[in-house]
């Protein structure tokens, strides 16, 4: 009887060359749409001189277990759809206030979340978008972020 072949150590290590965007969305429908839109927009930019490497959009239905992943060096940003996740998102953002590293944060909210704007801004959120109907403004924010990062 032979023992199964164990994977190489590299299989257990994260790929630090991949830039990650973490999309927190209960519906699970936004991540792939944003990824496609960003890919399309980056094709136009890549024809110039900028190179961005591989970009991945990971989808999370809740913030549970997200803090350690969000603080990894290759995590560029959090894109958080606030609807239905208000309490846990505010808890996650509060955690980042004292963290040594925090990713850029984009909050997608509805009109009814206007009263949370002061709390979100005090939580060091980079951008708030209200009443988003498609993935275009989100993708534009992601592309701007990648362009800014590549200039550093």
């Amino acid at each position: 009887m032979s023992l199964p072949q164990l994977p190489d150590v590299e299989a257990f290590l994260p790929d630090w060359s991949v830039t990650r965007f973490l999309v927190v969305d209960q519906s699970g429908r936004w991540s792939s749409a944003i990824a496609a839109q960003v890919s399309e927009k980056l094709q136009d930019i890549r024809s110039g001189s900028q190179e961005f490497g591989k970009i991945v959009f990971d989808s999370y239905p809740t913030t549970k277990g997200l803090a350690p992943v969000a603080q990894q060096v290759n995590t560029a940003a959090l894109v958080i759809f606030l609807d239905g996740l208000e309490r846990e998102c505010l808890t996650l953002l509060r955690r980042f206030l004292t963290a040594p590293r925090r990713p850029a944060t984009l909050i997608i909210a509805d009109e009814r979340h206007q009263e949370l704007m002061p709390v979100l801004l005090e939580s060091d959120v980079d951008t708030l978008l209200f009443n988003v109907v498609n993935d275009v403004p989100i993708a534009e924010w992601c592309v701007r972020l990648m362009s800014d990062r590549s200039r550093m």
Side-chain angles (χ1 to χ4, degrees):
M1 180 171 152
S2 65
L3 294 175
Q5 180 73 22
L6 291 176
D8 293 335
V9 172
E10 289 82 24
F12 295 103
L13 298 175
D15 185 355
W16 298 113
S17 65
V18 174
T19 300
R20 293 194 181 288
F21 283 82
L22 308 179
V23 180
V24 181
D25 168 37
Q26 282 185 321
S27 73
R29 67 185 172 131
W30 285 96
S31 184
S32 58
I34 297 166
Q37 190 68 240
V38 167
S39 177
E40 182 180 310
K41 290 183 177 302
L42 288 179
Q43 287 299 335
D44 297 336
I45 295 173
R46 283 183 175 139
S47 62
S49 62
Q50 284 185 306
E51 185 56 44
F52 299 101
K54 185 175 178 185
I55 300 170
V56 174
F57 286 80
D58 293 332
S59 183
Y60 292 85
T62 69
T63 62
K64 187 175 183 174
L66 192 63
V69 178
Q71 293 176 14
Q72 290 179 350
V73 174
N74 64 333
T75 299
L78 282 170
V79 177
I80 299 174
F81 288 83
L82 205 54
D83 191 35
L85 299 170
E86 295 86 353
R87 184 180 308 257
E88 65 182 85
C89 288
L90 290 172
T91 302
L92 177 69
L93 293 171
R94 189 181 73 226
R95 243 179 117 172
F96 288 142
L97 288 174
T98 58
R101 184 187 182 288
R102 146 189 113 65
T105 308
L106 170 64
I107 299 288
I108 313 300
D110 295 328
E111 192 70 35
R112 64 189 173 87
H113 294 116
Q114 288 281 345
E115 63 192 35
L116 292 176
M117 190 188 307
V119 175
L120 291 168
L121 294 174
E122 287 176 8
S123 297
D124 217 13
V125 168
D126 296 286
T127 306
L128 289 164
L129 293 178
F130 287 94
N131 302 321
V132 172
V133 294
N134 62 38
D135 53 3
V136 174
I138 302 165
E140 289 172 347
W141 182 84
C142 294
V143 169
R144 268 193 315 275
L145 183 74
M146 291 303 299
S147 295
D148 291 347
R149 284 175 55 122
S150 70
R151 288 186 203 123
M152 296 176 130

